[in-house]
């Protein structure tokens, strides 16, 4: 996640770990409203969601493409934190999108599975 300057999250299956776990950190991202810093969650479950917004997403698993995906604008997720204790996170805007993106990886989905229309997939811009 840290090796790619445009990445804000990674799910355990993406790095060959067979666990329901992800890490997200939207610190400093211009689209972030809520920000929990470096957030690591094991066995996450969405317990509430609301709103909907279409936004552009990309992924380290498909590095050359981006696409427009509809996501909830606010979510509440329960899981287990790094210390083994129960946690509950309320996220909105970009942080909510990032968490939902990583949750999809835990269910074997890519953002391409959620693109709002087949013609809404694009070649990724070059980051410098």
């Amino acid at each position: 996640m840290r090796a790619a300057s445009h990445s804000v999250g990674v799910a355990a299956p993406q790095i060959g770990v067979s666990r329901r776990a992800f890490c997200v950190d939207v610190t400093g991202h211009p689209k972030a409203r809520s920000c929990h810093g470096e957030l690591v969650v094991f066995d996450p479950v969405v317990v509430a969601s609301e709103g909907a917004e279409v936004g552009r997403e990309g992924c380290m698993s498909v590095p050359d493409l981006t696409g427009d995906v509809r996501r909830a604008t606010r979510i509440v997720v329960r899981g287990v934190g790094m210390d083994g204790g129960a946690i509950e996170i309320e996220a909105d805007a970009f942080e909510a999108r990032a968490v939902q993106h990583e949750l999809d990886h835990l269910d074997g989905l890519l953002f391409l599975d959620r693109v709002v229309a087949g013609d809404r997939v694009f070649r990724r811009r070059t980051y410098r």
Side-chain angles (χ1 to χ4, degrees):
M1 177 177 98
R2 300 279 185 231
S5 63
H6 55 279
S7 177
V8 297
V10 66
Q14 286 180 284
I15 58 171
V17 177
S18 297
R19 295 284 314 256
R20 287 192 60 79
F22 69 84
C23 178
V24 166
D25 188 352
V26 299
T27 301
H29 196 284
K31 293 182 182 178
R33 284 197 313 239
S34 66
C35 179
H36 291 86
E38 188 174 86
L39 179 62
V40 177
V41 183
F42 295 88
D43 300 323
V45 177
V46 175
V47 295
S49 66
E50 64 183 45
E53 183 175 75
V54 173
R56 185 71 54 90
E57 291 186 23
C59 183
M60 293 185 301
S61 296
V62 190
D64 296 331
L65 300 176
T66 63
D68 290 344
V69 177
R70 181 179 315 281
R71 301 273 188 198
T73 55
R74 181 185 146 314
I75 61 169
V76 178
V77 175
R78 288 186 186 140
V80 177
M82 288 289 290
D83 65 358
I87 58 172
E88 182 173 288
I89 294 98
E90 183 174 333
D92 69 358
F94 186 71
E95 188 175 42
R97 176 172 295 278
V99 168
Q100 291 169 86
H101 178 106
E102 299 310 328
L103 285 168
D104 273 354
H105 283 300
L106 304 183
D107 294 328
L109 298 172
L110 294 173
F111 77 93
L112 293 172
D113 297 310
R114 295 197 184 271
V115 170
V116 292
D119 62 346
R120 302 307 296 171
V121 175
F122 307 92
R123 302 289 292 159
R124 181 183 289 277
R125 293 183 309 202
T126 302
Y127 291 89
R128 298 184 197 276

